[in-house]
């Protein structure tokens, strides 16, 4: 069965600094990979996804993620963080069409002014 | 596109009553919808998978008689919490897959906060 780890429970960065959120997965084949963001009391918004092709994926709000098969990772990056990026970020893995997601535990991002 | 709504956004009820939560795909057809539960500062826990026109598939440990799921159309799934108790208080989130989308992407609703007194 697939699993997802997000090693960082909470990250604090200063506004304007760069950001990298880590995601590692365990799955035998090439998974479908997703990053979602959740603001307090809200649902999840899709930031980006990878399912095939170019391993560097661009998403909304200036985020990007890179799939590295050799490291079983799908880290999320942003070159310059804005205060509005403060939220909870979830990495998710899909095992293939029609299969359910497995979510990571989430990383809470705080942004200092 | 791919907007999912939930109603109500929050609800307070007395212990022993039933509560219905609606999940709608507003601009697409969703053959599959999912219901999650989220506790404070935790990740999402999948409760059940709902396919249009068939019975929902519940995850292990989820009481199907307590959490009734109906997916009567390609745009609507409902979750009814029957005989609610305080321990059912939680944040419930639904998601939906676009019919024919081979990438498995799930689009999430804004969630429903349930408080049982």
């Amino acid at each position: 069965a697939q699993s997802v780890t997000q090693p960082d429970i909470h990250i604090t960065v200063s506004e304007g600094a760069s950001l990298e959120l880590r995601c590692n997965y365990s799955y035998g084949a090439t998974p479908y990979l997703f990053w979602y963001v959740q603001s307090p009391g809200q649902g999840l918004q899709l930031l980006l996804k990878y399912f095939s092709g170019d391993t560097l994926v661009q998403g909304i709000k200036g985020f990007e993620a890179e799939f590295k098969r050799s490291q079983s990772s799908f880290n999320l990056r942003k070159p310059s963080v804005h205060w509005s990026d403060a939220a909870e970020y979830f990495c998710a893995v899909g095992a293939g069409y029609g299969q359910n997601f497995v979510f990571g535990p989430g990383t809470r991002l705080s942004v200092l002014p | 596109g791919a907007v999912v709504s939930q109603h109500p956004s929050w609800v307070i009820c007395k212990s022993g009553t039933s509560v219905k939560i609606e999940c709608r795909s507003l601009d697409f057809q969703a053959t599959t919808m999912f219901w999650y539960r989220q506790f404070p500062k935790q990740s999402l826990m999948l409760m059940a998978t709902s396919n249009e026109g068939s019975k929902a598939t519940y995850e292990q440990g989820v009481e199907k008689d307590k959490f009734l799921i109906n997916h009567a159309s390609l745009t609507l799934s409902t979750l009814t919490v029957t005989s609610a108790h305080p321990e059912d208080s939680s944040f419930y989130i639904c998601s939906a897959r676009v019919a024919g989308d081979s990438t498995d992407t799930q689009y999430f609703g804004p969630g429903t906060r349930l408080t049982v007194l």
Side-chain angles (χ1 to χ4, degrees), chain B residues 12-79:
Chain B
I12 301 173
C13 68
K14 292 183 179 180
S15 186
T17 61
S18 295
V19 174
K20 179 184 284 188
I21 302 170
E22 293 186 348
C23 176
R24 293 183 185 271
S25 55
L26 298 185
D27 53 359
F28 64 98
Q29 292 185 331
T31 51
T32 305
M33 289 183 168
F34 303 85
W35 287 95
Y36 294 86
R37 185 172 178 176
Q38 186 179 33
F39 292 101
K41 299 187 186 300
Q42 294 190 25
S43 189
L44 283 73
M45 182 188 77
L46 179 65
M47 299 175 65
T49 303
S50 167
N51 290 295
E52 184 266 338
S54 62
K55 291 183 177 180
T57 301
Y58 291 81
E59 295 299 300
Q60 191 171 9
V62 178
E63 300 176 60
K64 59 182 179 182
D65 294 332
K66 180 167 189 61
F67 298 99
L68 300 179
I69 292 172
N70 182 274
H71 192 162
S73 78
L74 287 173
T75 60
L76 173 64
S77 176
T78 60
L79 168 68

Side-chain angles (χ1 to χ4, degrees), chain A residues 3-7 22-26 71-75 91:
Chain A
S3 64
V4 182
T5 57
Q6 293 179 247
R22 295 182 291 165
C23 172
N24 294 95
Y25 68 89
S26 173
Q71 299 177 20
S72 297
S73 68
F74 188 56
N75 294 348
C91 180

